[in-house]
Amino acid sequence: MPIREPDVPDVACVNGEFSPIEDARVSVEDRGLQFGDAVYEVLRAYDGRIFAILEHLDRLARSCRHIRLDAPGVLAELPGQISEALARSGYADAVIYIQLTRGAARRTHLAPDSIRPTCIVTVRRVEQWYRDEQANGVSAVGFEDTRWARCEIKSTDLLANVLLKQQARDQGAFEAILFDRQGELIEGASSNVFVAAGGVLRTPSLSPHVLAGVTRLTLLRLASGQGIPAEEGRITRDAMADAAEILLASTTTEVIPVVMFDGRPVGDGHPGPIARRLLEAYQSAVRGG
Ligand SMILES: Cc1ncc(COP(=O)(O)O)c(C=O)c1O
């Protein structure tokens, strides 16, 4: 891994062309911009190694199938482009985004058959480590889910998530936790949610409303290795009020305990033992431990 010069910018790769991130360009006609007609992934590199790359690329391929974006050649070239972009950045620890759009064409809802996908890979310095949030916990607020009905697709169209997260922030909270109309837990605006009660860890089952988080899957595996009983199933908003622990899980934030939910302390109002054990196990796993 080359030593990175301090003034070398973050790296982008657009359709195979590498450049500093601020020099990278896509067309104003790109359907990712015009329609949100695009899917994406977020990955983390730790010590120069990308964590769970196969799981992320599998999910990207699934998202592509869901939106009928047929791009086998582009998907095949991605691992090489990601590795090269990471190497060019020189970062040992990085956040990597992939955006795959249906491509650029004159604006009309139906895309022409001749359209070619746009593939964007960016490698950025890790600006936020969330160490304070992981150690001390955060507050979260519940909202009715206002997103579309296909949240298993990792779509770049995140307007509802942005607005929900902003509403949470307006109330001084870190995350918006989303519920359906019946009051069943779905996930966070940018995380999967776990609840611990009676020593058992629970998270909502996968459905079209829930993103199959890579961190979620990793935590379910780690819990089993740690002897923490874990289940997938229904969780109501009422049950969350009685939970001993609530945890948020995502690639960028790893594991963050929720210590205040809807303005009331969760458990004793401090990060609990399951959050602590899972965070430790996760941080060891991502560095190959
Ligand atoms: C809506 C939503 N759910 C869940 C997650 C967690 O997914 P992952 O663990 O794969 O990062 C994210 C991450 O960005 C997300 O945006």
Side-chain angles (χ1 to χ4, degrees), residues 58-70 75:
D58 267 5
R59 187 173 62 187
L60 184 63
R62 275 202 314 275
S63 292
C64 285
R65 279 198 298 278
H66 282 308
I67 70 162
R68 302 204 279 174
L69 177 54
D70 191 23
L75 290 174

Side-chain angles (χ1 to χ4, degrees), residues 59 147 154 161 187-192 211 213-215 249-251:
R59 187 173 62 187
R147 304 172 304 163
K154 202 162 168 62
N161 308 58
E187 62 178 339
S190 61
S191 59
N192 290 111
L211 183 74
V214 173
T215 318
S250 82
T251 297

Side-chain angles (χ1 to χ4, degrees), residues 18-61:
F18 293 88
S19 70
I21 207 164
E22 54 266 41
D23 296 340
R25 296 285 179 270
V26 293
S27 166
V28 291
E29 294 277 44
D30 197 281
R31 294 178 60 91
L33 172 66
Q34 295 280 349
F35 293 101
D37 189 358
V39 291
Y40 80 110
E41 278 298 321
V42 190
L43 302 83
R44 276 290 316 268
Y46 294 90
D47 300 330
R49 281 199 313 268
I50 298 161
F51 180 65
I53 186 166
L54 293 180
E55 286 83 349
H56 284 283
L57 291 179
D58 267 5
R59 187 173 62 187
L60 184 63

Side-chain angles (χ1 to χ4, degrees), residues 245-261:
E245 298 185 48
I246 299 175
L247 281 61
L248 307 175
S250 82
T251 297
T252 48
T253 59
E254 303 173 334
V255 181
I256 293 186
V258 175
V259 292
M260 288 280 282
F261 177 59

Side-chain angles (χ1 to χ4, degrees), residues 1 41-57 78-87 89 91-98 121-123 214 251 282 285-288:
M1 189 65 51
E41 278 298 321
V42 190
L43 302 83
R44 276 290 316 268
Y46 294 90
D47 300 330
R49 281 199 313 268
I50 298 161
F51 180 65
I53 186 166
L54 293 180
E55 286 83 349
H56 284 283
L57 291 179
L78 263 175
Q81 290 176 355
I82 296 168
S83 302
E84 183 166 350
L86 183 61
S89 77
Y91 297 145
D93 295 302
V95 187
I96 300 159
Y97 282 86
I98 304 164
V121 177
T122 48
V123 175
V214 173
T251 297
Y282 186 83
V286 293
R287 294 190 189 271

